[in-house]
Amino acid sequence: GVLGPLPTREPVQGTLTGEKTCRVIAECQPANCVVVDESLTSGTAYWDASAQCESFTHMTLTGGSIGFANAVSIGVAIAAPHRRVISMIGDGSAQYTVQALWTQAREKLDIVTVIFNNASYQILKLEMAIQGVRPNDTSRTLTELSNPTVDWVSLGRAYGVKSVRASTADEFRTAFKDALNTSGPVLIDAVLSM
């Protein structure tokens, strides 16, 4: 071809990272799906990982908001019920609109929600660094989501959404493929190794 062969990549395996999660999503996503992307700091690898995918729609936030993906995925699933919806959202962002899981279950929407779980508001840490704010005990307390730990699987199930946890690339690949073949909403708690 004009562009030459694609570079070969190592197989996606081992502990789960944001990059590996993105690569598995891109590797497995069906043609004509809609990806609602609010993965922010954990999902930066998705752009490159999805470059060779079959045609799909990629919806991203325009900036300045946190929590849009849960609601937008509902709108997309209702407006285009014939298309598979994949929602990529950070655990901090998901906290802002978690009640959307109830609507997904009530309406039996075909949405796969992937929670990029790094147990922190990583985007806020990044913004503080950009502004020159040095981390201290207070800022760490305000940006960590580990005391108490959010149990996304229990939370998703409480809202009526089938929910699973994955902490390795193989577990995530299996969970993601299963979710794509499941009718109704599925939440995957992708626990990332930092």
Side-chain angles (χ1 to χ4, degrees):
V2 176
L3 298 176
L6 292 174
T8 57
R9 290 184 163 177
E10 293 294 318
V12 181
Q13 56 191 14
T15 58
L16 199 56
T17 63
E19 182 214 357
K20 290 175 185 179
T21 304
C22 291
R23 286 180 56 196
V24 170
I25 291 170
E27 168 190 307
C28 300
Q29 72 186 45
N32 201 37
C33 69
V34 179
V35 176
V36 180
D37 186 355
E38 189 180 5
S39 56
L40 300 171
T41 58
S42 295
T44 56
Y46 183 74
W47 286 95
D48 289 338
S50 65
Q52 300 299 318
C53 289
E54 292 188 50
S55 180
F56 70 101
T57 301
H58 189 187
M59 300 180 73
T60 63
L61 75 159
T62 57
S65 79
I66 297 176
F68 98 106
N70 286 336
V72 169
S73 65
I74 290 169
V76 171
I78 291 170
H82 58 286
R83 297 178 73 184
R84 176 53 89 174
V85 179
I86 300 165
S87 177
M88 298 167 41
I89 186 166
D91 55 340
S93 296
Q95 294 279 45
Y96 284 79
T97 53
V98 68
Q99 68 277 15
L101 295 173
W102 181 84
T103 303
Q104 291 180 14
R106 179 185 172 94
E107 301 301 322
K108 299 176 180 64
L109 300 174
D110 289 332
I111 300 171
V112 177
T113 300
V114 177
I115 304 287
F116 283 70
N117 185 348
N118 61 14
S120 72
Y121 286 109
Q122 194 64 34
I123 190 65
L124 298 181
K125 291 178 180 180
L126 176 64
E127 291 297 332
M128 287 189 323
I130 290 170
Q131 298 303 318
V133 176
R134 288 191 170 151
N136 58 41
D137 290 343
T138 302
S139 68
R140 281 187 283 277
T141 299
L142 294 172
T143 56
E144 294 299 322
L145 294 173
S146 57
N147 186 21
T149 299
V150 178
D151 184 344
W152 285 102
V153 171
S154 293
L155 194 56
R157 289 176 181 160
Y159 280 113
V161 173
K162 178 183 176 187
S163 301
V164 298
R165 179 173 292 113
S167 57
T168 68
D170 288 336
E171 289 172 354
F172 181 74
R173 181 181 293 101
T174 298
F176 190 66
K177 285 181 176 181
D178 288 349
L180 291 173
N181 290 310
T182 299
S183 181
V186 177
L187 179 147
I188 304 171
D189 179 13
V191 180
L192 306 180
S193 174
M194 297 307 291

